Amino acid sequence: MLVAMSETLTNNGYTDDLRYEVFNREFMPHIDSMYNFAFRLTMDEDDANDLVQDTYLKAFRFISSFEQGTNAKAWLFRILKNSFINDYRKKSKEPSKVDYQEVETTYNSEEASDTTYTVDLRADAVQELIGDEVANALNALPVDFRTVIILCDIEGFTYEEMAKILDIPIGTVRSRLHRARNLLKEKLKSYASSMGYDS
């Protein structure tokens, strides 16, 4: 009787064991890419970690809607992107918050001018791959343009996958990517000239 209960199908044909197996096999290998994407969207280590955690919780919770054999990475990116948008909307409606204890601590600290910050090595590794100037230019782009460049040029998604992740038509993906690359090109013109490249 207990064995029969543990084998009971849950969530559209997924047993509990199968849910864990699919989660570990299909989703966990993409955690670094998810973090990098989240960091590029949020520009904050803690927010990126929260966003990835929220994405994986939702992925596990709604694993029954994942169709095995399809692109798990694209499915996760879509969840992450939607979570980011929903969180962004929620935060934009909230008034600004100030941590007065942190301000007071910094103000009263004798070492206030020598404050150092811990650097996330994963973010540094990604930045080293694409270079400081390129990373700065990419980060300066509006989030919609930054997102398409990350998905296409860094993560290697196809236009069709990007359209599904972003929930926009393929034509919009193409035009947004074209505009994003042109904006990035404009931001990098002076850097390219200083490196000896002619435009």
Side-chain angles (χ1 to χ4, degrees), residues 28 64 66 83 86 91 95 144:
M28 290 309 294
S64 62
F66 172 70
S83 295
N86 291 339
K91 284 181 180 177
D144 287 343

Side-chain angles (χ1 to χ4, degrees), residues 1-16:
M1 177 84 171
L2 289 175
V3 172
M5 287 176 65
S6 67
E7 291 298 317
T8 304
L9 296 179
T10 58
N11 293 330
N12 292 337
Y14 281 84
T15 63
D16 284 340

Side-chain angles (χ1 to χ4, degrees), residues 36 40 122-132 134-135 154:
N36 290 334
R40 292 283 174 211
R122 290 174 294 186
D124 279 355
V126 169
Q127 196 156 336
E128 284 177 21
L129 285 174
I130 60 175
D132 289 343
V134 176
I154 296 175

Side-chain angles (χ1 to χ4, degrees), residues 62-130:
F62 298 108
I63 200 165
S64 62
S65 65
F66 172 70
E67 189 176 320
Q68 288 189 62
T70 60
N71 189 337
K73 186 176 178 182
W75 193 72
L76 289 169
F77 268 70
R78 184 171 184 164
I79 294 171
L80 189 142
K81 184 263 315 176
N82 288 339
S83 295
F84 172 73
I85 290 170
N86 291 339
D87 195 42
Y88 179 80
R89 286 180 184 152
K90 192 184 316 175
K91 284 181 180 177
S92 68
K93 293 178 183 175
E94 291 178 359
S96 297
K97 297 176 184 174
V98 175
D99 184 351
Y100 289 107
Q101 187 170 0
E102 184 178 319
V103 172
E104 183 178 354
T105 302
T106 303
Y107 180 74
N108 292 332
S109 171
E110 293 176 18
E111 302 169 1
S113 61
D114 297 332
T115 304
T116 58
Y117 296 95
T118 305
V119 178
D120 182 6
L121 297 178
R122 290 174 294 186
D124 279 355
V126 169
Q127 196 156 336
E128 284 177 21
L129 285 174
I130 60 175

Side-chain angles (χ1 to χ4, degrees), residues 113-173:
S113 61
D114 297 332
T115 304
T116 58
Y117 296 95
T118 305
V119 178
D120 182 6
L121 297 178
R122 290 174 294 186
D124 279 355
V126 169
Q127 196 156 336
E128 284 177 21
L129 285 174
I130 60 175
D132 289 343
E133 291 296 325
V134 176
N136 291 338
L138 180 63
N139 293 340
L141 293 177
V143 70
D144 287 343
F145 296 122
R146 186 169 66 229
T147 301
V148 292
I149 287 182
I150 292 167
L151 291 176
C152 184
D153 298 333
I154 296 175
E155 293 298 333
F157 284 108
T158 65
Y159 291 156
E160 292 80 12
E161 291 168 333
M162 291 169 58
K164 287 180 183 175
I165 291 168
L166 299 172
D167 199 24
I168 57 177
I170 283 184
T172 304
V173 168

